[in-house]
mmCIF file of all heavy atoms in Angstrom:
data_model
loop_
_atom_site.group_PDB
_atom_site.id
_atom_site.type_symbol
_atom_site.label_atom_id
_atom_site.label_comp_id
_atom_site.label_asym_id
_atom_site.label_seq_id
_atom_site.Cartn_x
_atom_site.Cartn_y
_atom_site.Cartn_z
ATOM 1 N N ALA A 1405 34.080 9.283 7.114
ATOM 2 C CA ALA A 1405 35.421 9.834 6.913
ATOM 3 C C ALA A 1405 35.425 11.356 6.797
ATOM 4 O O ALA A 1405 36.485 11.962 6.564
ATOM 5 C CB ALA A 1405 36.043 9.228 5.655
ATOM 6 N N ALA A 1406 34.270 11.991 6.940
ATOM 7 C CA ALA A 1406 34.192 13.456 6.826
ATOM 8 C C ALA A 1406 34.885 14.112 8.007
ATOM 9 O O ALA A 1406 34.966 13.553 9.096
ATOM 10 C CB ALA A 1406 32.732 13.891 6.758
ATOM 11 N N PRO A 1407 35.402 15.334 7.813
ATOM 12 C CA PRO A 1407 36.041 16.057 8.929
ATOM 13 C C PRO A 1407 35.045 16.285 10.065
ATOM 14 O O PRO A 1407 33.844 16.462 9.837
ATOM 15 C CB PRO A 1407 36.460 17.388 8.282
ATOM 16 C CG PRO A 1407 36.556 17.103 6.822
ATOM 17 C CD PRO A 1407 35.500 16.088 6.537
ATOM 18 N N ALA A 1408 35.550 16.259 11.269
ATOM 19 C CA ALA A 1408 34.693 16.427 12.446
ATOM 20 C C ALA A 1408 34.170 17.855 12.524
ATOM 21 O O ALA A 1408 34.843 18.812 12.135
ATOM 22 C CB ALA A 1408 35.467 16.086 13.705
ATOM 23 N N ARG A 1409 32.953 17.999 13.034
ATOM 24 C CA ARG A 1409 32.379 19.303 13.347
ATOM 25 C C ARG A 1409 32.446 19.474 14.861
ATOM 26 O O ARG A 1409 32.283 18.519 15.614
ATOM 27 C CB ARG A 1409 30.945 19.399 12.864
ATOM 28 C CG ARG A 1409 30.775 19.263 11.355
ATOM 29 C CD ARG A 1409 29.329 19.445 10.967
ATOM 30 N NE ARG A 1409 28.858 20.786 11.339
ATOM 31 C CZ ARG A 1409 27.575 21.144 11.358
ATOM 32 N NH1 ARG A 1409 26.635 20.252 11.074
ATOM 33 N NH2 ARG A 1409 27.228 22.365 11.691
ATOM 34 N N HIS A 1410 32.662 20.718 15.297
ATOM 35 C CA HIS A 1410 32.866 20.972 16.717
ATOM 36 C C HIS A 1410 31.881 22.017 17.238
ATOM 37 O O HIS A 1410 31.410 22.889 16.489
ATOM 38 C CB HIS A 1410 34.300 21.455 16.980
ATOM 39 C CG HIS A 1410 35.341 20.421 16.683
ATOM 40 N ND1 HIS A 1410 35.831 20.236 15.408
ATOM 41 C CD2 HIS A 1410 35.977 19.543 17.488
ATOM 42 C CE1 HIS A 1410 36.747 19.267 15.442
ATOM 43 N NE2 HIS A 1410 36.847 18.836 16.681
ATOM 44 N N ALA A 1411 31.609 21.898 18.525
ATOM 45 C CA ALA A 1411 30.793 22.907 19.223
ATOM 46 C C ALA A 1411 31.210 22.928 20.680
ATOM 47 O O ALA A 1411 31.674 21.916 21.222
ATOM 48 C CB ALA A 1411 29.301 22.580 19.104
ATOM 49 N N ASP A 1412 31.080 24.084 21.308
ATOM 50 C CA ASP A 1412 31.386 24.229 22.729
ATOM 51 C C ASP A 1412 30.075 24.356 23.490
ATOM 52 O O ASP A 1412 29.240 25.200 23.173
ATOM 53 C CB ASP A 1412 32.260 25.473 22.962
ATOM 54 C CG ASP A 1412 33.633 25.293 22.357
ATOM 55 O OD1 ASP A 1412 34.441 24.550 22.942
ATOM 56 O OD2 ASP A 1412 33.903 25.886 21.297
ATOM 57 N N LEU A 1413 29.912 23.501 24.497
ATOM 58 C CA LEU A 1413 28.686 23.470 25.282
ATOM 59 C C LEU A 1413 28.984 23.781 26.740
ATOM 60 O O LEU A 1413 30.106 23.612 27.209
ATOM 61 C CB LEU A 1413 28.018 22.102 25.184
ATOM 62 C CG LEU A 1413 27.738 21.545 23.799
ATOM 63 C CD1 LEU A 1413 27.053 20.197 23.907
ATOM 64 C CD2 LEU A 1413 26.885 22.513 22.986
ATOM 65 N N ARG A 1414 27.946 24.211 27.448
ATOM 66 C CA ARG A 1414 28.065 24.562 28.852
ATOM 67 C C ARG A 1414 27.075 23.734 29.662
ATOM 68 O O ARG A 1414 25.894 23.673 29.362
ATOM 69 C CB ARG A 1414 27.770 26.046 29.029
ATOM 70 C CG ARG A 1414 27.812 26.528 30.468
ATOM 71 C CD ARG A 1414 27.510 28.008 30.534
ATOM 72 N NE ARG A 1414 26.214 28.312 29.921
ATOM 73 C CZ ARG A 1414 25.649 29.517 29.976
ATOM 74 N NH1 ARG A 1414 26.279 30.508 30.570
ATOM 75 N NH2 ARG A 1414 24.468 29.720 29.420
ATOM 76 N N PHE A 1415 27.570 23.045 30.708
ATOM 77 C CA PHE A 1415 26.748 22.271 31.632
ATOM 78 C C PHE A 1415 27.086 22.715 33.056
ATOM 79 O O PHE A 1415 28.264 22.742 33.413
ATOM 80 C CB PHE A 1415 27.044 20.775 31.531
ATOM 81 C CG PHE A 1415 26.783 20.149 30.193
ATOM 82 C CD1 PHE A 1415 27.798 20.002 29.277
ATOM 83 C CD2 PHE A 1415 25.530 19.676 29.860
ATOM 84 C CE1 PHE A 1415 27.590 19.393 28.056
ATOM 85 C CE2 PHE A 1415 25.315 19.063 28.647
ATOM 86 C CZ PHE A 1415 26.346 18.934 27.740
ATOM 87 N N PRO A 1416 26.162 22.954 33.953
ATOM 88 C CA PRO A 1416 24.756 23.156 33.618
ATOM 89 C C PRO A 1416 24.542 24.573 33.110
ATOM 90 O O PRO A 1416 25.338 25.458 33.391
ATOM 91 C CB PRO A 1416 24.061 22.946 34.963
ATOM 92 C CG PRO A 1416 25.069 23.422 35.959
ATOM 93 C CD PRO A 1416 26.422 23.046 35.384
ATOM 94 N N ALA A 1417 23.482 24.783 32.387
ATOM 95 C CA ALA A 1417 23.132 26.109 31.892
ATOM 96 C C ALA A 1417 21.890 26.584 32.643
ATOM 97 O O ALA A 1417 21.246 25.827 33.364
ATOM 98 C CB ALA A 1417 22.870 26.077 30.386
ATOM 99 N N GLU A 1418 21.545 27.847 32.445
ATOM 100 C CA GLU A 1418 20.397 28.393 33.179
ATOM 101 C C GLU A 1418 19.095 27.740 32.749
ATOM 102 O O GLU A 1418 18.189 27.579 33.548
ATOM 103 C CB GLU A 1418 20.336 29.913 32.956
ATOM 104 C CG GLU A 1418 21.526 30.658 33.575
ATOM 105 C CD GLU A 1418 21.425 32.145 33.319
ATOM 106 O OE1 GLU A 1418 20.469 32.554 32.635
ATOM 107 O OE2 GLU A 1418 22.284 32.894 33.787
ATOM 108 N N GLN A 1419 19.009 27.360 31.489
ATOM 109 C CA GLN A 1419 17.778 26.748 30.998
ATOM 110 C C GLN A 1419 18.130 25.440 30.288
ATOM 111 O O GLN A 1419 19.009 25.403 29.440
ATOM 112 C CB GLN A 1419 17.054 27.677 30.024
ATOM 113 C CG GLN A 1419 16.579 28.973 30.671
ATOM 114 C CD GLN A 1419 15.875 29.861 29.681
ATOM 115 O OE1 GLN A 1419 15.851 29.587 28.504
ATOM 116 N NE2 GLN A 1419 15.278 30.921 30.182
ATOM 117 N N GLY A 1420 17.437 24.371 30.655
ATOM 118 C CA GLY A 1420 17.598 23.120 29.957
ATOM 119 C C GLY A 1420 18.827 22.320 30.300
ATOM 120 O O GLY A 1420 19.012 21.232 29.809
ATOM 121 N N GLY A 1421 19.686 22.827 31.177
ATOM 122 C CA GLY A 1421 20.835 22.067 31.598
ATOM 123 C C GLY A 1421 21.997 22.044 30.643
ATOM 124 O O GLY A 1421 23.044 21.496 30.957
ATOM 125 N N ALA A 1422 21.871 22.626 29.462
ATOM 126 C CA ALA A 1422 22.958 22.683 28.494
ATOM 127 C C ALA A 1422 22.708 23.842 27.554
ATOM 128 O O ALA A 1422 21.571 24.164 27.235
ATOM 129 C CB ALA A 1422 23.064 21.372 27.702
ATOM 130 N N ALA A 1423 23.772 24.494 27.109
ATOM 131 C CA ALA A 1423 23.643 25.623 26.196
ATOM 132 C C ALA A 1423 24.861 25.671 25.292
ATOM 133 O O ALA A 1423 25.955 25.245 25.660
ATOM 134 C CB ALA A 1423 23.487 26.934 26.951
ATOM 135 N N ARG A 1424 24.658 26.215 24.107
ATOM 136 C CA ARG A 1424 25.738 26.369 23.142
ATOM 137 C C ARG A 1424 26.548 27.625 23.475
ATOM 138 O O ARG A 1424 25.984 28.667 23.797
ATOM 139 C CB ARG A 1424 25.161 26.506 21.730
ATOM 140 C CG ARG A 1424 26.162 26.625 20.606
ATOM 141 C CD ARG A 1424 26.725 25.270 20.236
ATOM 142 N NE ARG A 1424 27.586 25.386 19.069
ATOM 143 C CZ ARG A 1424 27.181 25.153 17.823
ATOM 144 N NH1 ARG A 1424 25.913 24.820 17.606
ATOM 145 N NH2 ARG A 1424 28.012 25.244 16.817
ATOM 146 N N LEU A 1425 27.865 27.517 23.444
ATOM 147 C CA LEU A 1425 28.738 28.658 23.650
ATOM 148 C C LEU A 1425 29.250 29.130 22.312
ATOM 149 O O LEU A 1425 30.026 28.450 21.654
ATOM 150 C CB LEU A 1425 29.925 28.275 24.556
ATOM 151 C CG LEU A 1425 29.602 28.021 26.030
ATOM 152 C CD1 LEU A 1425 30.822 27.465 26.743
ATOM 153 C CD2 LEU A 1425 29.163 29.298 26.702
ATOM 154 N N GLU A 1426 28.801 30.300 21.880
ATOM 155 C CA GLU A 1426 29.252 30.829 20.602
ATOM 156 C C GLU A 1426 30.667 31.398 20.697
ATOM 157 O O GLU A 1426 31.466 31.300 19.790
ATOM 158 C CB GLU A 1426 28.284 31.909 20.113
ATOM 159 C CG GLU A 1426 26.877 31.396 19.896
ATOM 160 C CD GLU A 1426 26.803 30.312 18.826
ATOM 161 O OE1 GLU A 1426 27.720 30.252 17.984
ATOM 162 O OE2 GLU A 1426 25.862 29.517 18.864
ATOM 163 N N ARG A 1427 30.985 32.017 21.839
ATOM 164 C CA ARG A 1427 32.304 32.601 22.057
ATOM 165 C C ARG A 1427 32.821 32.167 23.399
ATOM 166 O O ARG A 1427 32.693 32.895 24.394
ATOM 167 C CB ARG A 1427 32.245 34.146 21.994
ATOM 168 C CG ARG A 1427 32.086 34.679 20.600
ATOM 169 C CD ARG A 1427 32.165 36.198 20.651
ATOM 170 N NE ARG A 1427 32.258 36.766 19.340
ATOM 171 C CZ ARG A 1427 32.347 38.073 19.090
ATOM 172 N NH1 ARG A 1427 32.371 38.894 20.107
ATOM 173 N NH2 ARG A 1427 32.432 38.529 17.857
ATOM 174 N N PRO A 1428 33.380 30.982 23.482
ATOM 175 C CA PRO A 1428 33.842 30.495 24.783
ATOM 176 C C PRO A 1428 34.908 31.416 25.375
ATOM 177 O O PRO A 1428 35.879 31.758 24.719
ATOM 178 C CB PRO A 1428 34.458 29.118 24.440
ATOM 179 C CG PRO A 1428 33.882 28.763 23.135
ATOM 180 C CD PRO A 1428 33.656 30.049 22.395
ATOM 181 N N GLU A 1429 34.675 31.828 26.617
ATOM 182 C CA GLU A 1429 35.667 32.623 27.321
ATOM 183 C C GLU A 1429 36.667 31.686 28.015
ATOM 184 O O GLU A 1429 36.441 30.474 28.101
ATOM 185 C CB GLU A 1429 34.979 33.515 28.356
ATOM 186 C CG GLU A 1429 33.977 34.491 27.727
ATOM 187 C CD GLU A 1429 33.246 35.265 28.785
ATOM 188 O OE1 GLU A 1429 33.519 35.033 29.957
ATOM 189 O OE2 GLU A 1429 32.388 36.074 28.422
ATOM 190 N N ARG A 1430 37.721 32.251 28.548
ATOM 191 C CA ARG A 1430 38.710 31.424 29.198
ATOM 192 C C ARG A 1430 38.149 30.832 30.488
ATOM 193 O O ARG A 1430 37.561 31.521 31.296
ATOM 194 C CB ARG A 1430 39.944 32.254 29.532
ATOM 195 C CG ARG A 1430 41.054 31.407 30.162
ATOM 196 C CD ARG A 1430 42.228 32.258 30.523
ATOM 197 N NE ARG A 1430 43.251 31.457 31.187
ATOM 198 C CZ ARG A 1430 44.351 31.981 31.702
ATOM 199 N NH1 ARG A 1430 44.557 33.287 31.665
ATOM 200 N NH2 ARG A 1430 45.231 31.190 32.273
ATOM 201 N N ALA A 1431 38.285 29.533 30.624
ATOM 202 C CA ALA A 1431 37.843 28.828 31.839
ATOM 203 C C ALA A 1431 39.055 28.334 32.570
ATOM 204 O O ALA A 1431 40.058 27.966 31.987
ATOM 205 C CB ALA A 1431 36.933 27.663 31.485
ATOM 206 N N VAL A 1432 38.989 28.346 33.897
ATOM 207 C CA VAL A 1432 40.127 27.904 34.692
ATOM 208 C C VAL A 1432 39.818 26.558 35.329
ATOM 209 O O VAL A 1432 38.680 26.114 35.339
ATOM 210 C CB VAL A 1432 40.466 28.939 35.781
ATOM 211 C CG1 VAL A 1432 40.889 30.240 35.149
ATOM 212 C CG2 VAL A 1432 39.286 29.138 36.716
ATOM 213 N N GLY A 1433 40.825 25.949 35.929
ATOM 214 C CA GLY A 1433 40.618 24.642 36.535
ATOM 215 C C GLY A 1433 40.381 23.574 35.503
ATOM 216 O O GLY A 1433 39.426 22.816 35.602
#
Side-chain angles (χ1 to χ4, degrees):
R1409 298 184 61 194
H1410 295 84
D1412 293 285
L1413 307 181
R1414 178 180 56 173
F1415 299 95
E1418 294 180 358
Q1419 297 180 352
R1424 183 80 174 265
L1425 289 172
E1426 299 298 338
R1427 286 185 170 180
E1429 300 175 0
R1430 183 182 177 185
V1432 297

